[in-house]
Amino acid sequence: MSNLTDGNPPRPILRYFEHNHLPPALAEVARMFHALAHELEGRFTPDTDPAEHTTALRKLLEAKDAAVRAHL
């Protein structure tokens, strides 16, 4: 079962993938990362190494931040 379907709250890091506050051009860039972060969250299982789970999401966040900055 995933974190999103087993009744557990989603990881706090997911809030950093929100993009509604960004101007439209930057939100379009960030939207892809938001979708992927939530898809990954849904695919992790209780057997997933929590440290690797967190690392995957953190590195995806770093990539999102770099992509948004590149479009400034």
Side-chain angles (χ1 to χ4, degrees):
M1 292 266 231
S2 77
N3 219 14
L4 296 177
T5 60
D6 65 6
N8 290 331
R11 291 179 185 270
I13 194 171
L14 291 176
R15 71 177 180 253
Y16 297 117
F17 289 95
E18 293 301 322
H19 51 80
N20 295 333
H21 65 286
L22 295 171
L26 298 179
E28 185 64 30
V29 173
R31 187 175 292 117
M32 297 179 288
F33 292 93
H34 177 271
L36 182 55
H38 283 271
E39 183 170 335
L40 285 173
E41 181 72 6
R43 290 178 181 262
F44 289 122
T45 67
D47 295 331
T48 303
D49 181 338
E52 292 300 329
H53 180 160
T54 300
T55 298
L57 290 172
R58 184 176 42 80
K59 290 186 179 280
L60 183 62
L61 179 60
E62 291 173 12
K64 189 263 312 181
D65 290 345
V68 168
R69 283 192 306 270
H71 283 84
L72 287 177

